[in-house]
Amino acid sequence: MLLAGGSPQPSFLLGSLKADCVTKPFLQRCQDLVRVIEDFPAKELHAIFPWLIETVFGSLDGSILGWNLRGLHERINPLEFHTALEFLDPSGAMMKLVYKLQAEEYKYDFPVSFLPGPVRASIQERVLPECPLYHNKIQFPASGGVSFNLALNSFEYFMFHFAFCLLKQRNYPQGLHFSTADSAYYILVDKYLKWFLPVEGNVPPPHSPNTGGTVPSPAPRSPSLSFTSYGSHTSLLKRHISHQHLVNADPAAQEIWRTETLLQVFVEIWLHHYSLEMYQKMQSPNAKLEALHNRLSVSSAPPIYPALPGSLHSYQVLPALCHTHELFQPTEEHVLVVRLLVKHLHTFSNSIRPEQVSPSTHSHTASPLEELKRVVVPRFIQQKLYIFLQHCFGHWPLDASFRAVLEMWLSYVQPWRYVLERSSPVSGEMQNRNVPEKWSTFVQENLLFYTKLFLRFLSRALRTDLVNPKNALMVFRAAKVFSQLNLPEMILNGEQLFLKPEHVIPHRQHRLLLTPNLGGSFLSSWQPPITDTSLKVKSHVFSLEGQDCQYMQMFGPEARNLVLRLAQMISQAKQTAKSISNHSPDSSANQSFLSWFGLGSPDFNGSYNGSDLDEAGYDTIRKTDEHLEKALDYFCQIFRLNPTQLGQLTANVDSSQDDDGKNKLPDCIQSEDGVVLTSLGRYQIINGLRKFDIEYQGDPELQPIRSYENAMLVRYLYRLSSVINKRFANSMGALCARKDFLGKLCRHHLTSSSRKCKKSPITSVSPSEPAAPHIRLRFLASYRTLAFLFIFYILGSLLSLGPLICTFLLLIGCMFYAIVQTLLSEEQKPHNN
């Protein structure tokens, strides 16, 4: 790793520490590092800092694992776990080193190639990203070079590597898997959020290496320097210092810089991964027009970036074209960490003092931290989290792992869950089911999170197997959250404000609507509050979706049809879950005792196919039915479904069941080419609600070898039975032609099948020629049959019975079973005619 401005000088300290990594245990190495940080000057520590960062977090390309914080759990290695947490604690030795180096204003290079795709493409095309985090930090390659770097101070460099650690491939201990919330990395994220975004009080000041001093924040950018970028934004600290000419700046304002930096790094590294097309779509039309104007007036505008040989002027704002932009796929762990960030930001925002809630009082009396609490959610994460959720809803697999995305979304749309109110311990369930009216403003300013993402969730639910307990639970969770009292009315009111026609909008307000000010740390550019509530909702929607967005109403007819389709699927899934729960394991008692051991004719075309519900247990199946029932009730409350209409849907599902409780065939129509599935039929098959009863029509002896059969015995017994059938065909035919009981016995076991053939509509014609008499010995290849024979002969030997006597008794028992089965079939024939 290179230091900014050139290669590091050889350091005896660095060589000694590298040697210790090979020879000393982890605990002793950390203790040595603590002493080094305390005793050595910043000049020596400057040389080891990049190596130490790489040792802790691993290399950016993944070639060096580092301490593997995401795979470090207390249950696996408690000593290393607690040692790492103590060393990396916000008040620990590592952060003291960061502050000591920051006081000397050392810089370190972070490769642009490891930044998220949209930011990397922007910088490589010489377009300044809108986030202030990158301003005045981009280092262009020397003549002939191709790599770009960010020149970061020690705090920024530490946070970039810490945040990037989440994007690397996770290394689990062999054979062990633990909860993400128990990892050292997850705990450290929580510690940093609580330290730098405190719910009560101010951010603790860092310890300065100078006696009695504080660590200075980076020098503010000169107010006269202008940027041509997606937006001109400055950080809170820069605004605070540039507007107050004081010798000693407010320490609280200085610490806001660290809070802002941490948030910007987390948001940029964890959330800024949407596709380039969406990245271009989010840019306002006015920004592109201004960029074009800047290009036309190139002679009068000073270049922001130095131009490389042979390149064009590089200060245009048009989105960069990235031909090799890869699709970012977040992991479940990634989503869980982002959810932790969302939950803490809600708690942090809701901890604002009551007197600072009103926007009219914040400008002169609020501290920088209180001002940050007021705007942290809409200004830092709203835009990028929305696009991140859009990406997850559109690309996440249709499996149970989507639960992590669902809970992150539900956490964001329920900020009232994270209000610190401990004074009134009333019934939690009743309190959580009622959304106070004061949250209507949040719902309006985040309308798309409630409407468009909800409709996308409905679309996903229509493509999932709702009989699966985990999928049913997700539908139940979403329905329960959106059915909270007052919430549907708030969403409906927000939609009405958005659809409210515009009569006369002043030019200044219309320009504000077209160019919403978005981006990372922007308290200095925070626009005055929009008094027109309708304009505020429109500004939110257009800023996220663009001016030409096609808005689909959550309570409109199209969405209502989606809900009705989902209600029908829920009813069908409930019937399926109920039929499976009624399929008791005791149903096997209906089979004969000897047939359980394989002496009867095996049914290779059984109508019941096991699923994951069998493994889940019947209590879970009943819980699934309960979740689906409650989800249906919640959807009725949200969309005010007509009970008569819903009852008709349920009646249609009930009528689709046969008399014996089994599903009919999938919905299909007859065409010239035969039977064709309808859209409903395809849904029924995909979700396992119905199926074709397809049966093997050929010789059962030639079916594929089953997993419960011995392959060698199957082949040997088939050849033996073929020889017997060929040699004694005439004799077996004569026996079956007899009119007495012996003829009936032979016909039942040598020609007829005790199974009842179920025909698919595709194969509705059965063979007309009767089967020739033959014997089948394949059942003897079943492991179950072999086990029975083994146990039978063992018991015989314990009873002092020889093999011949045991074989004779077995043949007598089989003959008795065959006679009884023939008599029973003869008695049932009159009833079947």
Side-chain angles (χ1 to χ4, degrees):
M1 182 67 65
L2 297 180
L3 304 183
S7 302
Q9 296 296 324
S11 171
F12 174 78
L13 176 61
L14 179 58
S16 176
L17 292 175
K18 287 183 178 180
D20 290 343
C21 288
V22 181
T23 59
K24 293 183 178 181
F26 182 79
L27 177 59
Q28 188 174 353
R29 280 184 281 144
C30 289
Q31 292 173 348
D32 292 344
L33 286 173
V34 172
R35 286 193 292 268
V36 167
I37 293 171
E38 292 288 345
D39 299 340
F40 280 77
K43 184 177 181 180
E44 287 287 340
L45 298 176
H46 168 58
I48 71 168
F49 185 63
W51 167 84
L52 181 57
I53 290 291
E54 193 173 76
T55 300
V56 174
F57 301 122
S59 59
L60 295 173
D61 58 5
S63 60
I64 300 176
L65 179 61
W67 289 1
N68 190 23
L69 295 174
R70 293 161 57 200
L72 187 58
H73 293 78
E74 184 177 14
R75 292 175 57 186
I76 303 175
N77 197 328
L79 181 61
E80 291 189 7
F81 176 83
H82 290 290
T83 302
L85 288 184
E86 182 180 358
F87 184 79
L88 298 173
D89 190 83
S91 60
M94 188 66 171
M95 202 57 67
K96 292 179 181 178
L97 171 61
V98 169
Y99 295 145
K100 183 181 289 190
L101 296 175
Q102 184 182 338
E104 301 297 330
E105 300 185 1
Y106 287 115
K107 299 292 182 180
Y108 305 90
D109 285 349
F110 188 92
V112 170
S113 58
F114 290 100
L115 293 176
V119 179
R120 179 177 67 248
S122 173
I123 294 176
Q124 290 175 347
E125 292 291 330
R126 299 177 178 274
V127 179
L128 182 63
E130 71 170 11
C131 181
L133 185 65
Y134 306 107
H135 294 182
N136 286 347
K137 295 183 177 67
I138 301 175
Q139 300 292 317
F140 286 86
S143 179
V146 293
S147 60
F148 294 77
N149 293 299
L150 296 179
L152 308 175
N153 63 40
S154 57
F155 184 83
E156 295 166 336
Y157 189 74
F158 175 86
M159 286 302 171
F160 263 91
H161 278 268
F162 178 77
F164 189 82
C165 187
L166 182 62
L167 306 185
K168 301 175 187 176
Q169 185 175 0
R170 184 173 179 177
N171 293 275
Y172 288 97
Q174 187 67 27
L176 295 175
H177 297 276
F178 292 94
S179 171
T180 297
D182 296 332
S183 69
Y185 185 83
Y186 189 92
I187 295 175
L188 283 173
V189 172
D190 188 46
K191 283 178 175 287
Y192 290 151
L193 290 175
K194 291 178 179 178
W195 182 274
F196 292 102
L197 286 84
V199 175
E200 297 179 357
N202 293 322
V203 181
H207 297 286
S208 172
N210 303 322
T211 305
T214 58
V215 177
S217 298
R221 171 169 53 86
S222 173
S224 61
L225 181 60
S226 62
F227 285 95
T228 305
S229 69
Y230 296 111
S232 299
H233 309 296
T234 55
S235 71
L236 171 62
L237 176 62
K238 294 169 184 175
R239 177 196 66 82
H240 188 84
I241 295 179
S242 62
H243 286 74
Q244 296 186 24
H245 303 283
L246 301 176
V247 177
N248 295 321
D250 183 5
Q254 292 184 0
E255 293 318 303
I256 289 298
W257 172 85
R258 291 178 179 83
T259 300
E260 282 191 300
T261 300
L262 177 137
L263 281 178
Q264 289 173 5
V265 172
F266 283 1
V267 171
E268 286 293 308
I269 300 297
W270 293 346
L271 296 179
H272 202 168
H273 293 280
Y274 40 81
S275 66
L276 183 63
E277 291 76 12
M278 188 62 71
Y279 182 67
Q280 293 174 342
K281 182 180 179 181
M282 287 192 308
Q283 311 312 313
S284 64
N286 276 6
K288 298 180 180 179
L289 291 176
E290 292 173 3
L292 180 61
H293 174 74
N294 289 335
R295 294 178 64 186
L296 294 177
S297 57
V298 63
S299 59
S300 60
I304 299 302
Y305 297 115
L308 294 180
S311 66
L312 297 174
H313 290 282
S314 54
Y315 51 83
Q316 65 268 24
V317 189
L318 295 178
L321 296 177
C322 180
H323 302 288
T324 60
H325 176 59
E326 68 279 3
L327 185 64
F328 177 77
Q329 297 292 350
T331 62
E332 187 174 353
E333 180 188 15
H334 185 156
V335 173
L336 291 174
V337 174
V338 173
R339 185 188 179 217
L340 177 64
L341 172 65
V342 170
K343 291 166 62 177
H344 186 80
L345 288 183
H346 275 322
T347 306
F348 177 72
S349 178
N350 293 335
S351 66
I352 188 172
R353 294 196 298 266
E355 63 271 16
Q356 304 297 342
V357 174
S358 175
S360 60
T361 62
H362 86 276
S363 57
H364 300 293
T365 62
S367 67
L369 188 63
E370 293 296 316
E371 186 177 357
L372 179 63
K373 290 180 180 180
R374 187 178 63 85
V375 299
V376 63
V377 172
R379 305 301 286 174
F380 277 87
I381 67 167
Q382 184 192 61
Q383 182 193 48
K384 292 183 174 64
L385 180 64
Y386 174 75
I387 305 300
F388 183 81
L389 283 170
Q390 285 275 36
H391 171 85
C392 291
F393 274 65
H395 297 85
W396 203 275
L398 292 172
D399 57 20
S401 64
F402 185 74
R403 176 74 186 277
V405 179
L406 174 73
E407 294 299 335
M408 176 178 64
W409 169 49
L410 296 181
S411 294
Y412 183 82
V413 299
Q414 298 182 92
W416 46 86
R417 289 184 55 194
Y418 308 103
V419 178
L420 300 176
E421 293 180 352
R422 301 287 186 265
S423 57
S424 56
V426 296
S427 175
E429 179 65 22
M430 292 302 297
Q431 187 177 9
N432 292 336
R433 296 296 298 162
N434 188 3
V435 181
E437 187 63 31
K438 67 177 182 179
W439 294 106
S440 60
T441 302
F442 181 88
V443 174
Q444 295 167 6
E445 294 176 351
N446 296 270
L447 183 63
L448 291 174
F449 285 88
Y450 293 91
T451 58
K452 186 170 183 178
L453 290 181
F454 182 80
L455 296 178
R456 295 205 66 176
F457 174 77
L458 291 183
S459 300
R460 284 185 60 95
L462 288 171
R463 302 196 304 272
T464 57
D465 179 13
L466 298 183
V467 186
N468 184 294
K470 296 178 180 178
N471 292 335
L473 177 60
M474 286 191 283
V475 174
F476 164 75
R477 287 281 298 124
K480 181 180 180 181
V481 168
F482 277 79
S483 67
Q484 296 177 88
L485 297 179
N486 298 335
L487 183 56
E489 290 76 10
M490 292 179 184
I491 299 174
L492 179 61
N493 183 45
E495 283 195 326
Q496 292 173 347
L497 290 172
F498 173 72
L499 299 173
K500 182 179 179 180
E502 302 179 28
H503 300 291
V504 179
I505 299 181
H507 176 71
R508 181 179 60 84
Q509 288 186 334
H510 190 65
R511 177 177 175 84
L512 180 62
L513 173 63
L514 291 177
T515 58
N517 216 354
L518 301 172
S521 135
F522 321 122
L523 296 183
S524 61
S525 57
W526 177 255
Q527 299 289 347
I530 304 175
T531 56
D532 189 340
T533 308
S534 175
L535 188 63
K536 184 191 302 182
V537 178
K538 288 181 171 64
S539 176
H540 155 71
V541 174
F542 292 147
S543 66
L544 294 179
E545 289 291 323
Q547 292 289 312
D548 55 348
C549 69
Q550 298 294 326
Y551 183 79
M552 180 177 174
Q553 299 181 48
M554 178 174 170
F555 296 96
E558 296 179 2
R560 189 176 183 85
N561 290 335
L562 280 178
V563 175
L564 291 176
R565 284 172 54 192
L566 182 61
Q568 185 177 15
M569 286 187 59
I570 290 176
S571 300
Q572 292 174 338
K574 284 180 58 199
Q575 280 290 352
T576 303
K578 187 179 297 184
S579 64
I580 294 176
S581 64
N582 293 334
H583 186 89
S584 171
D586 297 335
S587 62
S588 59
N590 296 330
Q591 303 175 1
S592 64
F593 176 77
L594 291 178
S595 66
W596 185 89
F597 290 104
L599 294 179
S601 178
D603 184 7
F604 294 108
N605 296 308
S607 61
Y608 176 75
N609 294 326
S611 64
D612 56 350
L613 288 176
D614 300 325
E615 301 176 0
Y618 295 96
D619 291 337
T620 304
I621 299 174
R622 285 190 286 270
K623 194 69 175 177
T624 299
D625 183 71
E626 180 182 343
H627 285 156
L628 293 175
E629 179 70 29
K630 290 184 178 180
L632 201 55
D633 293 339
Y634 289 143
F635 281 123
C636 292
Q637 297 174 21
I638 297 171
F639 295 93
R640 299 178 181 176
L641 297 180
N642 188 348
T644 304
Q645 188 177 17
L646 189 64
Q648 184 178 1
L649 283 175
T650 307
N652 292 338
V653 173
D654 292 339
S655 64
S656 68
Q657 304 294 316
D658 286 334
D659 294 337
D660 58 357
K662 296 182 180 178
N663 285 340
K664 287 184 177 180
L665 299 174
D667 189 62
C668 50
I669 58 175
Q670 190 72 33
S671 67
E672 297 178 356
D673 299 328
V675 175
V676 178
L677 280 173
T678 64
S679 299
L680 176 59
R682 283 190 289 271
Y683 271 116
Q684 291 168 342
I685 291 179
I686 291 173
N687 292 281
L689 303 176
R690 297 188 186 182
K691 65 178 180 179
F692 289 111
D693 292 325
I694 301 175
E695 201 174 57
Y696 181 76
Q697 299 287 335
D699 187 354
E701 297 293 304
L702 298 178
Q703 291 192 76
I705 298 175
R706 312 297 187 185
S707 60
Y708 54 81
E709 294 177 321
N710 184 283
M712 183 183 67
L713 282 178
V714 169
R715 297 186 181 98
Y716 174 76
L717 292 172
Y718 174 74
R719 287 196 293 267
L720 178 61
S721 61
S722 298
V723 172
I724 295 175
N725 291 331
K726 185 176 181 180
R727 184 169 182 177
F728 300 99
N730 295 333
S731 301
M732 289 188 292
L735 288 173
C736 292
R738 293 169 64 106
K739 302 298 184 181
D740 54 6
F741 182 77
L742 180 59
K744 295 178 181 178
L745 179 67
C746 294
R747 283 193 299 272
H748 180 79
H749 292 284
L750 297 180
T751 61
S752 64
S753 174
S754 60
R755 289 181 294 108
K756 207 175 186 179
C757 290
K758 299 173 188 174
K759 301 180 181 66
S760 165
I762 308 293
T763 58
S764 57
V765 180
S766 58
S768 57
E769 296 183 1
H774 59 280
I775 66 170
R776 296 170 181 170
L777 301 176
R778 181 165 173 168
F779 71 93
L780 293 174
S782 170
Y783 291 116
R784 187 172 59 180
T785 304
L786 295 175
F788 162 74
L789 293 175
F790 177 77
I791 296 173
F792 181 80
Y793 281 101
I794 291 295
L795 291 176
S797 64
L798 294 177
L799 298 174
S800 301
L801 300 176
L804 291 178
I805 298 178
C806 290
T807 304
F808 178 76
L809 293 176
L810 185 63
L811 292 176
I812 293 296
C814 290
M815 183 60 67
F816 178 77
Y817 169 73
I819 293 173
V820 171
Q821 206 173 35
T822 303
L823 292 174
L824 292 177
S825 64
E826 289 296 320
E827 291 180 0
Q828 292 176 359
K829 279 185 178 180
H831 300 286
N832 295 333
N833 293 334

